[in-house]
Amino acid sequence: MRDGGAGGIITLQHLKAAPWKRRRFPVLKALEVIPVNGPAVCALGLGKSYNGKIFALHGLSLEVRAGEVFGYLGPNGAGKTTTVRLMTGLLRPSEGSCSVFGFSPVQKPGEVHRLCGVMTDGVRMYRQMTGMENLIFFGQIFGMREEDGKERAEDLLKRLDLWDVRDQKLSAYSTGMAQRLSLARSLMHRPKVLFLDEPTSGLDPESVQEVNSLIAGLARTEGVTVFLCTHQLRYAQDLCRRYGILEKGNLLACGALGDLARDAGLHAKASLRLKDGDAPSGFTRGTDGWWTTDILSEDEMPKLIRRAMEEGCSIYEAEIRKPTLEDVYFQYMALNGGEKP
Amino acid sequence: MKTFPQEEKAIVRKDFHELWDSRMSRTTVLLVPLVLAVALPILFVVLINTVPASEINGADQMRKLLPEEARGYSLRQSMLYMVTNLIFPVLYLMIPLMASSVAAASSFAGERERGTLETLLLAPLGVRRIFHAKTLGCVLLSAVVTGISFLAFAVVVSVGDILLGMPFFLNWNWLVLIFFLAPAVTVFGVMFMVLVSARSKSYIESVQTSGYLVLPLVLLLIGQMAGIFRLGPLFLLLAAAVVWVADALLWVFAGRSFLKI
């Protein structure tokens, strides 16, 4: 078996499993042949047209590193779900290619499915079965023995606050419960890559927080790579390390927040809250009453504060406001004449 | 190597539960055999034993349809022979046909309609194995229903035979029907429905389309009753061979249509 050097592909839990117990971890079968140095998810000129004329996705090239939480952002109809369906082998690409840990979903769908957990709106569960029955069933079709599936299902149901409704039929679940159960299903076989399409839509704020902390925990402690499609930019900023911004099937930008902000021409701002009537030179007053000016680096801040004080301004508060993901997203959308997410 | 791994078993079990949970599917799978293999035979046996011979219209015409072996039978015996060997073989074939069609409609069209097929396809066992598991589940269910129906039918008709002092009804016709034609019809129903399910929008639409499958059986019944032909073991064996060939062809097309998902 290979070592887990690259991005913590193999967790301690997996390594501790004796060979005769490894069937409890179906993902191990695929892990034994994972190319450890490659990216977790890779797309090269990937595209899909449903009618041969209009492309729902066009020329997508990106890499997601192992163990990374990647935010895939874009308005409805931008091509996010199409991307997930292509990467998980539910659709065949019209152009280009993609891979998950080096496995092509077209040529090796079984290996890709063994490694991936997928949660999208189109991927539903059985309404006449209880939450527990659903999870055990999906565990079984991923090669887990019934008792192991039950153990795993119990753990996930507790972690996702569904334990009390485990014996209720899915048809009796609220939207939020069904959404969390779907997340539990996608985690049943301990996937190494999670494709999540709006995992927190329809959830109350408490559930959103629980789901987000679960996702962050999976990436941090188990080295799970997360490909997160979302509209919720605030949560995405908390969770993700890098982002891809998609619009009308085209990837507008891809990278860390700082790089995206710089490329979009957005800078950090030095912001001061002053006594009424004070007006420092070089600053402009915002609608919130704060005085701001663009800065290229944090080193400029002390200088600006000093200058304001020399000009006789009384400073109540001072802070550096970095561009948020929302700022960056809307900047890219504005530059491309796009829509709101 | 396991012949039927647990992944496939889980799919078959799940499909059975789904079918059982749907009132329409459950009713069809239970009601059709109950009517055709139990209620109707009981009705015929009771009528033949109770209705006065003078009130049976066209009995002489019908007796002309009987083969040599049944020429010496009394009027009531002839009627039971005719019902058992001319009418019920055709009606009986509707059981595997309906059971397999409804099971396949629930398993394939129903899964698609409920949006759960995609979830299944995300499992590592592959489209081909999913197709095989689902197909096998439908065939298995239909085989069990058909087998139980035959046993129930045999009990009812045997009682009729005893009441009228006739020999046991089972003959070459029935043997060919049970062991060759009914299994072929079962597979045909499943394969036809897989193809239909790929095009239909819902479970209901698929089940409605399965109505076309009954037409050849109706023609068989009419042809026999009109004296155009008579179902013999050779005829049934030939029919079974034709249906098996059709099954093989449909298997290829149905498999392809499912793999294209």
Side-chain angles (χ1 to χ4, degrees):
Chain A
M1 197 160 115
R2 290 172 188 272
D3 65 78
I9 292 168
I10 299 173
T11 67
L12 192 60
Q13 192 182 20
H14 293 134
L15 288 169
K16 277 179 182 169
W20 60 88
K21 285 185 182 168
R22 279 178 196 161
R23 72 161 106 177
R24 295 178 64 171
F25 306 106
V27 77
L28 280 178
K29 194 178 163 192
L31 283 172
E32 283 164 11
V33 285
I34 282 178
V36 289
N37 295 319
V41 178
C42 177
L44 201 64
L46 187 66
K48 178 69 187 176
S49 170
Y50 293 98
N51 59 9
K53 293 171 192 163
I54 301 163
F55 275 78
L57 186 72
H58 183 53
L60 175 77
S61 293
L62 60 80
E63 281 189 2
V64 180
R65 298 161 201 150
E68 170 175 72
V69 183
F70 183 82
Y72 200 51
L73 318 171
N76 287 333
K80 300 192 295 293
T81 306
T82 299
T83 307
V84 171
R85 289 165 64 82
L86 285 165
M87 286 176 170
T88 52
L90 289 173
L91 283 177
R92 279 177 171 266
S94 309
E95 60 178 26
S97 63
C98 57
S99 63
V100 175
F101 278 116
F103 293 115
S104 157
V106 176
Q107 285 152 8
K108 297 269 183 192
E111 300 303 334
V112 171
H113 294 162
R114 212 182 295 283
L115 289 166
C116 295
V118 184
M119 179 191 172
T120 73
D121 190 38
V123 176
R124 302 203 184 135
M125 298 169 80
Y126 298 99
R127 292 176 61 78
Q128 84 286 359
M129 283 160 73
T130 66
M132 179 65 96
E133 286 169 349
N134 261 297
L135 294 187
I136 292 174
F137 169 71
F138 283 105
Q140 282 180 317
I141 63 168
F142 271 86
M144 294 172 97
R145 288 184 308 170
E146 192 171 341
E147 55 267 40
D148 296 331
K150 195 170 178 219
E151 201 179 301
R152 176 73 172 153
E154 282 174 3
D155 175 42
L156 289 169
L157 288 167
K158 283 174 188 164
R159 283 164 76 179
L160 285 160
D161 198 21
L162 290 167
W163 183 247
D164 293 340
V165 290
R166 66 191 180 280
D167 293 326
Q168 276 183 28
K169 289 193 173 182
L170 178 56
S171 54
Y173 277 32
S174 67
T175 311
M177 287 176 190
Q179 191 83 343
R180 278 179 282 150
L181 188 70
S182 190
L183 180 61
R185 176 200 46 77
S186 69
L187 294 170
M188 267 304 282
H189 60 292
R190 295 182 170 85
K192 297 312 296 171
V193 183
L194 258 183
F195 288 95
L196 305 175
D197 193 0
E198 297 296 349
T200 51
S201 72
L203 298 187
D204 54 55
E206 288 84 2
S207 302
V208 170
Q209 219 156 31
E210 273 171 35
V211 168
N212 283 343
S213 74
L214 178 74
I215 294 169
L218 285 168
R220 200 174 47 244
T221 60
E222 294 182 33
V224 175
T225 309
V226 183
F227 192 91
L228 176 71
C229 303
T230 186
H231 286 140
Q232 297 181 333
L233 302 175
R234 200 165 62 81
Y235 293 120
Q237 187 171 346
D238 294 340
L239 274 176
C240 306
R241 206 186 301 168
R242 291 197 314 130
Y243 309 87
I245 299 175
L246 194 71
E247 211 245 338
K248 290 179 184 158
N250 295 300
L251 188 69
L252 302 180
C254 184
L257 182 58
D259 298 335
L260 291 178
R262 194 189 56 232
D263 294 348
L266 293 174
H267 300 286
K269 288 181 190 299
S271 303
L272 305 175
R273 190 165 71 83
L274 307 173
K275 188 180 168 189
D276 280 347
D278 290 350
S281 60
F283 280 76
T284 51
R285 194 164 194 264
T287 50
D288 56 357
W290 286 62
W291 293 84
T292 60
T293 187
D294 285 354
I295 53 173
L296 294 173
S297 85
E298 290 181 354
D299 298 338
E300 292 179 45
M301 191 65 177
K303 206 164 59 186
L304 288 169
I305 293 172
R306 219 168 18 245
R307 199 176 71 197
M309 290 176 74
E310 283 166 6
E311 288 173 6
C313 296
S314 304
I315 302 173
Y316 295 155
E317 280 181 85
E319 65 181 29
I320 296 172
R321 290 183 184 172
K322 289 180 180 169
T324 62
L325 183 60
E326 208 167 278
D327 298 331
V328 170
Y329 179 87
F330 285 115
Q331 180 72 1
Y332 273 102
M333 286 294 145
L335 289 172
N336 288 277
E339 304 157 22
K340 287 185 175 183
Chain B
M1 196 181 101
K2 283 184 183 175
T3 47
F4 202 51
Q6 68 145 26
E7 292 93 327
E8 277 93 329
K9 261 188 223 164
I11 292 176
V12 171
R13 236 187 348 249
K14 188 272 301 169
D15 277 356
F16 281 0
H17 281 154
E18 270 196 313
L19 184 130
W20 194 250
D21 280 339
S22 151
R23 186 181 293 175
M24 188 180 166
S25 309
R26 190 174 59 223
T27 310
T28 312
V29 167
L30 289 178
L31 211 61
V32 170
L34 265 177
V35 170
L36 295 179
V38 181
L40 271 181
I42 288 177
L43 184 72
F44 274 109
V45 168
V46 170
L47 285 177
I48 289 167
N49 277 284
T50 54
V51 174
S54 57
E55 287 184 19
I56 302 174
N57 293 326
D60 290 336
Q61 287 297 316
M62 279 193 270
R63 286 176 80 177
K64 284 178 188 166
L65 296 170
L66 294 178
E68 279 298 319
E69 67 194 66
R71 286 281 154 86
Y73 284 166
S74 68
L75 180 63
R76 289 186 199 282
Q77 285 175 327
S78 304
M79 294 303 291
L80 185 62
Y81 181 92
M82 202 152 56
V83 166
T84 313
N85 289 287
L86 298 186
I87 296 175
F88 273 109
V90 181
L91 291 182
Y92 178 78
L93 281 178
M94 286 188 189
I95 296 171
L97 198 60
M98 290 311 292
S100 59
S101 308
V102 170
S106 165
S107 176
F108 289 89
E111 190 101 55
R112 196 188 298 266
E113 188 182 3
R114 291 184 287 268
T116 46
L117 188 59
E118 218 162 80
T119 327
L120 267 190
L121 295 174
L122 286 169
L125 68 167
V127 187
R128 202 175 294 273
R129 278 176 69 190
I130 294 171
F131 174 70
H132 289 165
K134 285 184 152 291
T135 308
L136 198 71
C138 297
V139 170
L140 208 67
L141 178 90
S142 177
V144 169
V145 170
T146 309
I148 294 173
S149 302
F150 179 73
L151 290 178
F153 173 77
V155 169
V156 176
V157 174
S158 299
V159 170
D161 288 341
I162 292 166
L163 287 175
L164 292 171
M166 290 172 70
F168 188 48
F169 78 98
L170 200 64
N171 54 18
W172 283 111
N173 269 14
W174 273 105
L175 288 174
V176 173
L177 197 86
I178 296 301
F179 293 108
F180 294 98
L181 193 51
V185 166
T186 295
V187 177
F188 188 86
V190 174
M191 291 303 132
F192 180 82
M193 200 44 69
V194 175
L195 283 171
V196 168
S197 298
R199 287 163 184 78
S200 62
K201 293 185 186 76
S202 68
Y203 163 75
I204 301 280
E205 194 182 318
S206 298
V207 173
Q208 283 167 345
T209 314
S210 73
Y212 293 118
L213 289 176
V214 179
L215 281 177
L217 296 181
V218 173
L219 291 177
L220 264 184
L221 192 63
I222 294 171
Q224 263 211 125
M225 297 310 289
I228 300 169
F229 54 80
R230 190 186 303 144
L231 293 182
L234 273 179
F235 182 94
L236 290 171
L237 210 55
L238 191 70
V242 170
V243 181
W244 276 119
V245 171
D247 287 346
L249 291 173
L250 282 179
W251 175 274
V252 174
F253 289 121
R256 278 185 196 161
S257 83
F258 190 74
L259 285 171
K260 272 186 199 164
I261 297 167

